[in-house]
Amino acid sequence: MTQLHTVKQGQGPLVVLSHALGCDLTMWDGVAAALQERYTVLRYDQRGHGQTPATEGAYSMDDLADDAAELIRAQGVGPVHFVGLSMGGMTAQALAARHPELVRSIVIANSAASYDAAARAMWQARIDTVRVNGVPPIADGALQRWFTPEFRADQVNGGAERVAKLRTVLEATPALPYAAACAAVAGIALDEGNAHIACPTLVIAGSRDEATPPAMSQAIADRIPGAQLASLDAAHLSAVEQPEAFAQLLEGFWAGLH
């Protein structure tokens, strides 16, 4: 079992937040701060990211879902609201399909359910680059996909500072664990499982997301019975770029559950 590094804050119903590839739990700082007065917020570093150790060899999205399931079971409080972005959103899809008893609801933000051959070839090229040269050479491209130009340039409201911090996190990710995570992401085939997801589901798209364009979010929402679809004016890391608006979408969604 992977020993996940976690941070827990707040009070109220339990919400679990799962981060994107190449990030760590600090990606959720703004959202966690917005939720903590009404919810207990549990964030964790996925395997090989942040302060969670890497595992040997290859793994799949199902393995990441099982990591999350172990974490939720260890809380001992029944089903939780699970929120994932990008790789975390893929984790959410696999978790709800594999461990339905553990989730009261899921939120899938800026994510995908499958990739075509062209996209998988792009992932393989990134894996090859990182294995040879490490993560820093791919950082510029990643940050351009993660954030809008104005957020990257924002010196007044802290956007540029947040971008710089997440660049540091990305570049500190060891090459082999990052490559293994890329392979897990590239290999997703979540459509069949999504058709059987029974819990309330909110899908969040970024209207300016080039990494997982809105059509990918639409496809996920179309596949999951009863799923709701919302959009934020943001690029790929919508929860970083628009944390208050992101948290408002979550709270509105949860308030409608009976």
Side-chain angles (χ1 to χ4, degrees):
M1 177 187 161
T2 306
Q3 192 60 45
L4 302 173
H5 170 67
T6 63
V7 170
K8 199 175 193 178
Q9 67 200 89
Q11 56 190 351
L14 186 62
V15 175
V16 180
L17 305 180
S18 184
H19 66 73
L21 172 71
C23 296
D24 66 2
L25 57 76
T26 64
M27 190 201 92
W28 294 109
D29 285 352
V31 171
L35 295 176
Q36 63 181 0
E37 291 187 10
R38 288 168 297 282
Y39 295 90
T40 301
V41 182
L42 177 64
R43 302 179 266 165
Y44 69 99
D45 288 338
Q46 298 247 36
R47 60 169 76 182
H49 288 70
Q51 296 179 52
T52 293
T55 48
E56 290 293 323
Y59 58 86
S60 70
M61 198 55 58
D62 285 348
D63 294 315
L64 295 184
D66 292 348
D67 289 347
E70 290 287 342
L71 176 64
I72 293 166
R73 286 195 186 96
Q75 305 308 305
V77 294
V80 303
H81 299 298
F82 192 91
V83 182
L85 188 146
S86 192
M87 181 174 75
M90 298 167 190
T91 306
Q93 294 169 70
L95 175 68
R98 289 172 68 77
H99 304 281
E101 74 284 358
L102 297 178
V103 285
R104 171 77 181 83
S105 73
I106 58 170
V107 177
I108 303 160
N110 304 87
S111 197
S114 60
Y115 287 109
D116 62 19
R120 288 196 298 273
M122 286 172 54
W123 279 113
Q124 189 59 51
R126 190 190 305 188
I127 291 167
D128 294 342
T129 297
V130 167
R131 283 181 177 276
V132 175
N133 299 311
V135 175
I138 60 103
D140 282 346
L143 291 159
Q144 286 170 15
R145 290 187 298 274
W146 283 1
F147 303 112
T148 60
E150 54 267 38
F151 188 76
R152 296 200 305 271
D154 174 20
Q155 302 287 347
V156 177
N157 297 309
E161 182 183 354
R162 294 288 291 125
V163 172
K165 285 182 176 174
L166 282 167
R167 175 190 283 273
T168 300
V169 171
L170 174 62
E171 292 187 345
T173 309
L176 291 180
Y178 181 86
C182 285
V185 167
I188 57 171
L190 300 167
D191 293 304
E192 185 176 340
N194 283 356
H196 301 286
I197 289 176
C199 68
T201 301
L202 173 65
V203 182
I204 300 176
S207 62
R208 301 170 67 184
D209 185 353
E210 296 175 6
T212 50
M216 287 187 165
S217 291
Q218 181 71 59
I220 293 170
D222 288 346
R223 189 75 174 169
I224 297 175
Q228 301 174 38
L229 178 65
S231 181
L232 290 172
D233 179 24
H236 190 52
L237 295 193
S238 61
V240 179
E241 199 159 325
Q242 301 272 4
E244 290 82 12
F246 192 98
Q248 284 179 344
L249 284 179
L250 300 184
E251 296 203 57
F253 170 57
W254 296 327
L257 304 182
H258 303 293

